[in-house]
Amino acid sequence: MIKYLPREYFPMSNTRLTRDLKLLLSLFALRDVSELFLGTFFVSFIMHSATSEIVAISGYRLFQYAATCLGFFLIAGWCKCYNKVAIFAMNLVPKVLLLGAIVWLGQGAVEYVIVLGVLYGLCEALYCLPVNAMIGEKVHTDAMGRFFGAKIAVKYAVKLLVPVILGFFIDLGSYEQVACVLLGLTVVEFLMICGMRSSRHRTCSAVDFVGFGRCMLRFSVIRQMFAMEVLRGFGNGLLGTVVTMYTVYMFHTDFNLGILTTVFAVFAILTAQLFGKWGKSKYYPYCLTVAAGVMLGAMMLFVVDTAPLTFIVYNFAYSTAFVVIDQINNVCTFNLSKSRCVTENHKIEYFVFRDFALFIGRWIGFVGLMYIGVFGGYEWLRYYLVLITLAMVLVGFIAGKISKSLRVR
């Protein structure tokens, strides 16, 4: 059985969230506003403007994920040797360039989806790797479920109100005007980051991917995590995009997209909060079984009868059962980074490898989506949704095995 690091290592009590973690949750909220625009609504913009929307969206996502993965490898050494808060602040640079490009190019932005995707990917890399490392350091193992419950609740609380506002102002005005507002919010983000305490690794040793590779060979649970993240990259990376595409395809306007996103955010908030508060690790395998059954049932219903009503049923499953699977996955991933399988000197490498696994799954998924855009269209897309859903069910199955391995008896 895997043992955890000594309790004295952690700078907080079992369940209390420190000031830095509360600041991080606030930054997550601001980031989720930008992500709604750059992910959900910019996908809608591409659909309205491109001649072959599925191919254009796939290209945008493929280059985004490639830039994210490359960025992780490039900045790993910085995260290991320098202040992670300062590196985290650097994500605002490509974000400002991306939003500025949307303002400058206007409707012509659809012709530069590859460049915009690369900027978005670099922003994600400079955001995610420092944040993942800080979460791994600052959140106690016992508080991990509660923290991710709060994180997911914050994410969907943003989805509760912001999509309707964004959809309304985009329909009333333009994408460029909303991008200007988000540029203003980056100033608020910078000020909040300045309020965080520095976070520096205890050693300045070089990045050692070979050494972490030996950890993977030694511990099967790390290999299971790698397989889980490949499937999660395929399923989770595609699912939100495909749901957005179908929402716009069936309900036509950004305002309707905003309303539906908001309605289902309520279910996601309740699920994340209740599960974060009451979900115990010993019950994770049972919860995953129920969640997988709900996802499969909703998926089969939608494939048999592809209509607005069955799509709403699938959205309900997406905002409840999927949230449970994703929350358990995150808890397992970060708790594994605290176990003795991952040495103190290999934590950055662990998160880089994890993102590389996500990248593999995402590229497989969006190459497949591009193929469907060229040869199939929306008729084939619903069958592709079967593969996406099955991938998330397998994620739940592997997460259950990892959860059992990590449980302290």
Side-chain angles (χ1 to χ4, degrees):
M1 186 59 62
I2 296 166
K3 296 181 180 179
Y4 291 104
L5 291 170
R7 196 172 295 269
E8 294 78 14
Y9 168 75
F10 303 103
M12 58 177 289
S13 63
N14 285 12
T15 57
R16 184 173 62 85
L17 299 183
T18 62
R19 173 178 167 274
D20 276 2
L21 292 177
K22 290 174 182 177
L23 271 175
L24 272 179
L25 289 172
S26 300
L27 284 163
F28 291 155
L30 290 176
R31 189 240 188 180
D32 289 333
V33 174
S34 300
E35 195 173 70
L36 274 171
F37 178 73
L38 295 172
T40 302
F41 284 95
F42 194 66
V43 165
S44 174
F45 166 76
I46 295 172
M47 290 182 69
H48 291 148
S49 306
T51 53
S52 181
E53 71 268 26
I54 296 179
V55 174
I57 291 167
S58 300
Y60 176 63
R61 289 299 198 187
L62 283 170
F63 280 90
Q64 172 198 335
Y65 293 137
T68 301
C69 183
L70 179 61
F72 264 57
F73 281 98
L74 291 176
I75 69 171
W78 297 354
C79 285
K80 203 159 186 180
C81 298
Y82 303 113
N83 180 10
K84 287 183 276 292
V85 176
I87 298 166
F88 177 52
M90 290 171 61
N91 86 88
L92 297 178
V93 176
K95 183 177 179 179
V96 167
L97 292 175
L98 173 56
L99 291 170
I102 292 173
V103 173
W104 178 264
L105 295 170
Q107 293 296 313
V110 72
E111 299 176 13
Y112 298 91
V113 290
I114 291 176
V115 176
L116 297 180
V118 169
L119 285 174
Y120 192 15
L122 292 175
C123 176
E124 290 283 287
L126 288 164
Y127 178 95
C128 292
L129 184 56
V131 161
N132 288 342
M134 285 190 283
I135 291 173
E137 290 176 3
K138 295 176 181 290
V139 184
H140 193 282
T141 300
D142 296 340
M144 200 65 76
R146 191 183 189 91
F147 176 79
F148 277 103
K151 182 179 182 294
I152 293 172
V154 165
K155 175 181 179 179
Y156 284 98
V158 170
K159 285 189 174 184
L160 184 62
L161 296 174
V162 174
V164 172
I165 298 171
L166 284 179
F168 176 77
F169 281 106
I170 288 172
D171 281 352
L172 189 66
S174 67
Y175 288 91
E176 303 94 274
Q177 292 172 348
V178 175
C180 286
V181 175
L182 294 179
L183 276 171
L185 284 178
T186 59
V187 177
V188 179
E189 289 185 64
F190 178 74
L191 293 174
M192 292 176 68
I193 293 171
C194 289
M196 295 183 65
R197 286 187 290 269
S198 64
S199 176
R200 188 188 297 271
H201 194 63
R202 293 177 180 177
T203 67
C204 289
S205 59
V207 174
D208 182 18
F209 292 117
V210 174
F212 181 74
R214 296 193 191 99
C215 290
M216 290 186 66
L217 293 175
R218 183 179 176 188
F219 297 105
S220 62
V221 69
I222 298 182
R223 297 195 296 274
Q224 290 171 2
M225 183 278 297
F226 192 89
M228 179 178 71
E229 293 299 275
V230 170
L231 288 167
R232 184 168 174 255
F234 176 81
N236 197 4
L238 276 171
L239 198 52
T241 299
V242 172
V243 167
T244 298
M245 291 168 65
Y246 259 118
T247 304
V248 175
Y249 177 70
M250 290 183 166
F251 299 98
H252 306 300
T253 70
D254 286 306
F255 186 60
N256 285 333
L257 172 62
I259 290 174
L260 287 171
T261 304
T262 296
V263 168
F264 288 107
V266 175
F267 296 108
I269 291 169
L270 292 173
T271 302
Q273 285 286 65
L274 291 173
F275 192 78
K277 185 174 183 179
W278 302 107
K280 306 297 183 184
S281 60
K282 63 181 178 180
Y283 298 128
Y284 280 2
Y286 306 106
C287 295
L288 289 166
T289 301
V290 173
V294 171
M295 288 289 292
L296 286 172
M299 175 266 296
M300 288 187 290
L301 185 64
F302 180 67
V303 170
V304 170
D305 182 20
T306 306
L309 180 60
T310 55
F311 181 66
I312 287 173
V313 172
Y314 188 87
N315 259 286
F316 174 76
Y318 175 61
S319 59
T320 53
F322 173 79
V323 166
V324 170
I325 293 173
D326 197 44
Q327 195 165 333
I328 294 175
N329 170 270
N330 281 318
V331 171
C332 290
T333 300
F334 281 87
N335 278 348
L336 179 57
S337 75
K338 293 174 165 308
S339 73
R340 293 193 184 276
C341 294
V342 181
T343 66
E344 179 65 20
N345 216 34
H346 286 139
K347 294 188 183 296
I348 294 295
E349 290 85 344
Y350 171 85
F351 287 112
V352 172
F353 265 68
R354 179 216 181 196
D355 195 79
F356 181 64
L358 287 170
F359 163 75
I360 293 172
R362 287 164 174 169
W363 256 72
I364 292 171
F366 278 97
V367 166
L369 185 62
M370 184 173 285
Y371 180 87
I372 288 172
V374 173
F375 298 104
Y378 283 91
E379 182 60 30
W380 285 18
L381 188 60
R382 63 174 176 168
Y383 297 109
Y384 199 42
L385 192 61
V386 176
L387 289 178
I388 298 170
T389 307
L390 289 174
M392 291 310 301
V393 170
L394 285 173
V395 166
F397 173 74
I398 299 173
K401 292 182 66 177
I402 294 175
S403 176
K404 288 180 181 178
S405 298
L406 291 173
R407 197 178 311 141
V408 178
R409 295 178 182 174

